[in-house]
């Protein structure tokens, strides 16, 4: 799964810190060299990475929850095994990315526990799609097909990211995401070629998820929601393309596939502008988007509650482990 | 000792097939229900590393259930998905202890699950499964012997994982040890059902499908007590009844309803 770039608020440009080091740093990343965890980096770069990767990591963890709703209910043994493998991968991605974040947090004396606290108190956001309700088995397929499909587009955009640990994690994650998209596509194909009721739940799923999929890549510019960090991430060669370019790539790839299954999307204005070479679509409600990622989405509270229970209900286990560890 | 190389040979001997299918249902149904209980934990484990490990074990366990249902399919019992999703609680051969809910709440709503129950249950079960599979590698039914051999490639990792948890939480002392000891005593009063082979135990032994249940129990007790010490002065019990004889609680009924929810919306559709 993944992250758009939305939050602003990082003002440490790094130039003031140490102009000489900053210049060498910029020369390194412009020459395509990788920055490693122990290398000098400007505060702005570190904070941008922390925000980006912690959100990505925690979105992987929270992203397992909507699919978990359907894991035991998957309608065949094969589908049960498929979705079990997928949610396990998502948790693994979360673990990998939180480890990358933990290294970046070291100079601030912060740990993963702080990240979990940030999540529960609303300071660490998770991706808009994972605040949404699931209603039918078709949603489990659609998440794999289109949400993971969108994630692949976002993440491959950063496979050359200047931060080495993130880049390496992304290479592994993207390889697995391809399987997730194929898993989702297989579910979708079975429904699309299935009974009338199966086709109905599929179309209903596309209709309900469409605005969230458009929101997936984040606002087109800072003026849409009041803040955007996409320019900073591009300056530091963490990502290559803008939110809108990624959204257009998604529409280019998936709309023909959606239409080839005789499915529709809930947007009468949608068309391809041959002159501008881009899709014209009805903008999703970006105010609603802001509400969703502020933990006011349809399932925000319920999903956060699950993490809160996991955190508090197992406290005795964590205490026991640290005690046991201190004896050894 | 008669040796059966494949399903076709086994099907020609009705008594042999009857004992064999009974044993295979136990293998399949045990793994199926425990994989379900595991899947309910996703996202709720004590830490993310455990979520990754536990969900991997759960996925393997569901894979083993699938494997055993497929062996039943080969014997003419019906499609593996039908066997997994359509059989009612009364025809399930899984042990009652394995269907016990993970704790309070529902997996989607206020799931106050008990990690001590899960650690004890999985450790006890994996020790049992290891013993049963080792014995099954010498089965007179070659496809079962082969299946056991294959599952045993993954099984030691599962066992090592839960054994590590048991040892760590016991070594921590205090609340963790108390919680674990209490769950072990509880399990002691219920686990005999898991170790038993049910009403056709003698037929299974006579057909050399697997060693007797006394062998399973002796080996299991020895292995478990080597790790955790003496658990109870009482005899092993089966307070919740005999799942091997089709006795089950309402907790299995609810679990099966969830497992079949989508499947039941259209049993003939291709999913």
């Amino acid at each position: 799964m993944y992250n758009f770039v939305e939050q602003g608020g990082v003002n440490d440009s790094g130039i003031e810190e140490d102009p000489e080091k900053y210049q060498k740093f910029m020369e390194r990343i412009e020459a395509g060299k990788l920055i490693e965890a122990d290398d000098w980096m400007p505060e702005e770069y570190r904070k941008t990475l922390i925000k980006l990767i912690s959100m990505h990591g925690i979105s992987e963890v929270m992203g397992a929850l909507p699919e978990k709703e359907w894991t035991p209910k998957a309608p065949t043994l094969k589908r049960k095994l498929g979705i079990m493998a997928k949610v396990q991968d998502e948790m693994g991605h979360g673990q990998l990315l939180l480890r990358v974040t933990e290294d970046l947090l070291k100079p601030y004396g912060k740990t993963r526990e702080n990240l979990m606290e940030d999540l529960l108190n609303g300071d660490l956001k998770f991706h808009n799609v994972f605040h949404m309700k699931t209603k039918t088995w078709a949603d489990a397929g659609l998440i794999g097909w289109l949400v993971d499909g969108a994630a692949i587009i976002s993440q491959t955009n950063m496979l050359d990211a200047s931060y080495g640990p993130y880049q390496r994690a992304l290479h592994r994650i993207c390889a697995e995401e391809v399987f997730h998209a194929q898993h989702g596509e297989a579910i979708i194909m079975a429904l699309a070629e299935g009974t009338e009721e199966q086709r109905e739940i599929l179309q209903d799923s596309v209709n309900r998820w469409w605005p969230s999929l458009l929101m997936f890549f984040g606002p087109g510019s800072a003026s849409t929601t009041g803040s955007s960090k996409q320019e900073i991430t591009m300056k530091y060669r963490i990502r290559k393309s803008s939110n809108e370019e990624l959204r257009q790539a998604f529409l280019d790839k998936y709309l023909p596939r959606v239409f080839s299954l005789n499915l529709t999307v809930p947007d009468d204005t949608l068309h391809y502008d041959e002159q501008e070479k881009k899709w014209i679509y009805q903008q999703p409600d970006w105010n609603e988007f802001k509400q969703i990622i502020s933990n006011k989405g349809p399932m925000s509270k319920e999903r956060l509650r699950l993490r809160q229970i996991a955190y508090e209900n197992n406290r005795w286990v964590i205490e026991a482990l640290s005690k046991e560890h201190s004896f050894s | 000792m008669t040796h059966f190389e494949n399903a076709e040979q086994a099907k020609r001997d009705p008594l042999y097939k009857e004992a064999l299918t009974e044993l295979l249902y136990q293998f399949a149904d045990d793994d199926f229900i425990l994989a379900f209980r595991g899947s309910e934990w996703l996202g709720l484990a004590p830490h993310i590393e455990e979520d990754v490990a536990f969900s991997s074990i759960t996925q393997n366990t569901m894979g083993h259930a699938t494997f055993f249902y497929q062996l039943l399919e080969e014997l003419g019992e019906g499609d593996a998905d039908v066997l997994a999703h359509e059989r009612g609680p009364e025809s399930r051969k899984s042990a009652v202890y394995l269907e016990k809910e993970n704790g309070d709440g529902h997996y989607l709503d206020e799931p106050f699950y008990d990690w001590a129950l899960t650690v004890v249950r999985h450790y006890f079960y994996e020790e049992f499964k290891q013993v049963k599979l080792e014995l099954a590698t010498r089965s007179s039914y070659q496809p079962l012997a082969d299946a056991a051999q294959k599952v045993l490639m993954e099984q030691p990792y599962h066992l090592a994982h839960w054994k590590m948890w048991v040892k760590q939480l016991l070594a921590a002392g205090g609340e963790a040890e108390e919680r674990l000891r209490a769950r072990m005593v509880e399990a002691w009063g219920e686990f005999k059902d898991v170790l038993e082979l049910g009403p056709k135990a003698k037929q299974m032994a006579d057909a050399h499908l697997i060693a007797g249940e006394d062998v399973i129990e002796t080996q299991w007790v020895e292995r478990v007590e080597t790790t955790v010490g003496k658990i109870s002065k009482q005899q092993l019990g089966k307070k919740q009844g005999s799942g091997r004889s089709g006795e089950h609680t309402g907790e299995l009924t609810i679990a099966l309803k969830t497992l079949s929810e989508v499947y039941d919306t259209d049993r003939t559709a291709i999913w």
Side-chain angles (χ1 to χ4, degrees), chain A residues 118-131:
Chain A
D118 286 350
L119 171 73
L120 296 177
N121 67 29
D123 288 340
L124 173 56
K125 297 184 189 315
F126 62 100
H127 202 285
N128 72 296
V129 282
F130 306 127
H131 295 257

Side-chain angles (χ1 to χ4, degrees), chain A residues 264-327:
Chain A
T264 58
V265 296
D267 180 356
D268 294 337
T269 67
L270 182 81
H271 65 278
Y272 190 73
D273 187 319
E274 290 290 349
Q275 279 189 328
E276 289 196 50
K277 301 278 180 222
K278 67 174 192 179
W279 291 92
I280 308 297
Y281 57 90
Q282 191 179 340
Q283 288 291 318
D285 183 344
W286 290 109
N287 284 325
E288 187 191 346
F289 170 80
K290 277 167 75 177
Q291 293 292 312
I292 290 169
I293 59 166
S294 304
N295 294 339
K296 290 173 190 151
M299 288 296 283
S300 312
K301 295 278 179 288
E302 288 85 346
R303 303 238 166 91
L304 282 168
R305 176 73 183 144
L306 292 179
R307 281 249 48 99
Q308 188 182 21
I309 290 172
Y311 187 66
E312 288 169 5
N313 192 40
N314 294 318
R315 200 181 292 276
W316 68 271
V317 183
I318 301 301
E319 282 169 9
L321 289 183
S322 50
K323 216 156 102 187
E324 196 271 340
H325 196 63
S326 66
F327 292 148

Side-chain angles (χ1 to χ4, degrees), chain B residues 154-212:
Chain B
E154 291 177 340
Q155 181 61 21
Y157 297 102
H158 299 188
L159 177 57
H161 180 82
W162 295 110
K163 191 185 274 188
M164 179 194 70
W165 266 110
V166 165
K167 283 182 171 177
Q168 282 188 324
L169 292 178
L170 288 178
E175 185 187 356
E177 186 181 5
E178 276 171 31
R179 282 173 178 262
L180 240 65
R181 294 272 175 216
R183 284 298 188 183
M184 285 198 278
V185 170
E186 174 195 67
W188 196 259
E190 301 177 23
F191 207 79
K192 193 171 177 64
D193 176 36
V194 183
L195 302 168
E196 286 183 346
L197 293 168
K200 296 192 175 68
K202 189 175 178 307
Q203 253 174 278
M204 290 177 198
D206 291 347
H208 299 284
L209 281 162
I210 194 161

